[in-house]
């Protein structure tokens, strides 16, 4: 019996694969390398000294995805695969909706056909839109999303809940991430986008390494302590461990489980930049520019439900996130 990890060569997927392999799980990974690199697979083997099956498949390719189910006894799915840049989604809504939603529907169709009824879904705090309260709990309203990326996550959540309602044996965990940064301690795995980064930390790293001239900080007129956006940054290894806890939960009980995965602490963009500069003793030039479409002022989690029901707590602080990110950048 194997766990299928879609997008397993990507940033969060690869860190979760490490945790799964070290726990002794049998894995099948699918990835199309749109936003990941083939060499990650060798790094996973090097870190864990364990092997896994891999298929280069796009979820929209139903024929080849079906071969994965035909050739393996898949008991659970952890679903990371999807386009994920907020700003790009505003420019390319059709591509985002088609890729993220249709890809998930193809996956679910095959799961149903091959009687695989457990899925952990990589969702996002963007489903809350501009939140009514912070810290955000799982009981906060969803639906007032501010960009197509977040809306695609919201729609997929609803689809999964409907599937659970229709089939009482089905078990789903919806994991609403806040802002993953950091890297594996080995320095072998980290966030390494194929194009110009859309997320803050990879761009900070690019400026620190001299790849980019300057960091654009989108807006300093938000109602926050320094005017820049406040986010809940979570170490990617903590986030990865949350998937194993969620998988344990849905192996034991059917239905829909929803969890925020964050630290419960908010840091502004400038606080993160200054922390990175201080702990790594390196300068990062930045300039203030206009707000970015789809962004909100403040977003951080109340992660107490995950602590109570899963026994999961984020262990790493923002300084370790910054150190581990730089360690990855220097080693790659």
């Amino acid at each position: 019996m194997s766990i299928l990890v879609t997008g397993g060569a990507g940033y969060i997927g690869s860190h979760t694969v490490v945790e799964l392999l070290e726990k002794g799980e049998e894995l099948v990974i699918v990835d199309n390398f749109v936003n990941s690199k083939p060499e990650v697979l060798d790094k996973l083997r090097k870190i864990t000294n364990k092997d896994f099956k891999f298929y280069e498949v796009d979820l929209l390719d139903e024929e080849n995805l079906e071969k994965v189910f035909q050739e393996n006894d898949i008991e659970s799915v952890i679903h990371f695969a999807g386009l994920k840049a907020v700003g790009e989604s505003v420019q390319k809504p059709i591509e985002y909706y088609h890729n993220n939603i249709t890809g998930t529907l193809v996956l679910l169709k095959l799961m149903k056909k091959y009687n695989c009824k457990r899925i952990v879904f990589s969702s996002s705090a963007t489903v809350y839109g501009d939140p009514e309260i912070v810290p955000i709990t799982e009981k906060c309203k969803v639906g007032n999303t501010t960009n197509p990326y977040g809306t695609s996550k919201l729609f997929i959540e609803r689809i999964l809940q409907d599937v659970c309602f229709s089939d009482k044996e089905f078990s789903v965990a919806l994991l609403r991430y806040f802002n993953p940064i950091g890297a594996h301690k080995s320095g072998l795995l980290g966030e390494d986008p194929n194009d110009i980064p859309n997320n803050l930390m990879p761009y900070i790293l690019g400026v620190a390494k001299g790849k980019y001239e300057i960091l654009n900080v989108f807006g300093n007129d938000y109602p926050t302590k320094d005017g820049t956006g406040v986010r809940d940054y979570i170490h990617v290894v903590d986030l990865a461990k949350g998937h194993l806890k969620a998988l344990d939960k849905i192996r034991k009980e059917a239905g829909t489980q929803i969890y925020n995965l964050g630290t419960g602490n908010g840091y502004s963009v400038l606080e993160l930049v200054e922390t990175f500069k201080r702990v790594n003793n390196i300068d990062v030039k930045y300039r203030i520019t206009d707000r970015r479409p789809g962004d909100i002022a403040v977003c951080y989690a109340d992660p107490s439900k995950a602590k109570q029901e899963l026994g999961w707590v984020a262990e790493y602080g923002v300084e370790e996130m910054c150190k581990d990110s730089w360690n990855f950048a220097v080693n790659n």
Side-chain angles (χ1 to χ4, degrees):
M1 301 285 278
S2 300
I3 299 165
L4 174 62
V5 184
T6 72
Y11 176 44
I12 302 166
S14 62
H15 286 83
T16 304
V17 164
V18 167
E19 300 298 324
L20 289 163
L21 288 172
E22 290 183 339
K23 191 186 171 191
E25 299 282 7
E26 293 290 320
L27 297 191
V28 178
I29 298 173
V30 300
D31 204 298
N32 63 2
F33 299 126
V34 164
N35 200 36
S36 58
K37 295 179 171 65
E39 51 263 36
V40 166
L41 303 174
D42 289 330
K43 292 177 178 181
L44 292 170
R45 294 182 180 102
K46 184 175 180 181
I47 290 168
T48 63
N49 203 26
K50 294 183 178 178
D51 204 2
F52 47 84
K53 291 179 82 170
F54 174 77
Y55 295 78
E56 186 174 350
V57 178
D58 191 303
L59 295 192
L60 296 169
D61 181 355
E62 184 173 343
E63 184 180 344
N64 281 310
L65 187 61
E66 181 156 17
K67 288 177 186 173
V68 177
F69 281 88
Q70 287 171 339
E71 294 171 11
N72 301 279
D73 188 4
I74 306 295
E75 57 102 346
S76 303
V77 175
I78 304 182
H79 180 28
F80 295 102
L83 300 174
K84 62 172 190 172
V86 167
E88 184 184 58
S89 78
V90 176
Q91 306 300 320
K92 298 180 175 180
I94 296 169
E95 289 87 343
Y96 268 69
Y97 288 130
H98 178 60
N99 184 84
N100 293 1
I101 297 170
T102 309
T104 303
L105 289 171
V106 171
L107 175 65
L108 286 168
K109 179 181 173 183
L110 292 170
M111 286 176 66
K112 186 174 181 183
K113 183 173 179 178
Y114 289 90
N115 202 37
C116 173
K117 296 189 174 183
R118 288 193 285 262
I119 183 168
V120 177
F121 175 55
S122 162
S123 191
S124 166
T126 54
V127 300
Y128 294 112
D130 202 341
E132 51 190 338
I133 56 163
V134 286
I136 299 168
T137 74
E138 290 83 354
K139 291 181 180 176
C140 287
K141 280 184 203 166
V142 296
N144 200 17
T145 45
T146 59
N147 55 76
Y149 161 73
T151 309
S152 76
K153 292 291 189 185
L154 179 72
F155 289 168
I156 293 166
E157 281 198 6
R158 183 59 191 268
I159 290 164
L160 288 167
Q161 288 170 311
D162 287 345
V163 169
C164 259
F165 185 78
S166 73
D167 183 344
K168 301 309 179 195
E169 293 179 358
F170 218 89
S171 185
V172 172
L174 307 177
L175 302 185
R176 294 173 179 165
Y177 308 165
F178 281 69
N179 290 67
I181 58 174
H184 194 266
K185 290 280 187 223
S186 64
L188 291 173
L189 293 178
E191 189 167 13
D192 188 17
N194 288 339
D195 296 319
I196 294 172
N198 283 282
N199 295 338
L200 178 59
M201 183 55 80
Y203 214 102
I204 290 174
L205 297 175
V207 174
K209 288 184 78 172
K211 185 176 179 182
Y212 309 117
E213 182 184 347
I214 197 163
L215 170 72
N216 289 320
V217 175
F218 298 110
N220 67 342
D221 58 349
Y222 288 104
T224 61
K225 50 192 143 184
D226 59 21
T228 64
V230 169
R231 297 291 182 269
D232 187 337
Y233 296 100
I234 176 173
H235 199 295
V236 66
V237 173
D238 278 330
L239 187 60
K241 289 175 179 176
H243 292 76
L244 275 68
K245 296 282 192 181
L247 183 61
D248 287 344
K249 176 81 169 174
I250 66 169
R251 277 171 163 168
K252 291 174 193 155
E253 55 188 274
T256 303
Q257 316 292 335
I258 302 174
Y259 299 103
N260 288 338
L261 296 185
T263 65
N265 300 306
Y267 292 90
S268 75
V269 172
L270 290 184
E271 282 179 317
L272 187 71
V273 172
E274 293 303 329
T275 301
F276 181 90
K277 289 162 64 173
R278 175 171 53 80
V279 301
N280 296 311
N281 195 27
I282 190 164
D283 191 34
V284 176
K285 290 183 182 175
Y286 67 86
R287 66 184 169 211
I288 307 297
T289 64
D290 292 339
R291 291 186 184 191
R292 186 170 57 175
D295 279 347
I296 59 175
V298 179
C299 183
Y300 62 96
D302 176 349
S304 57
K305 186 183 176 193
K307 180 180 180 181
Q308 290 162 5
E309 296 190 11
L310 302 180
W312 175 88
V313 177
E315 296 174 8
Y316 296 106
V318 73
E319 291 191 356
E320 284 168 298
M321 299 177 210
C322 290
K323 283 179 186 173
D324 290 343
S325 295
W326 183 234
N327 182 45
F328 169 72
V330 167
N331 282 294
N332 291 271

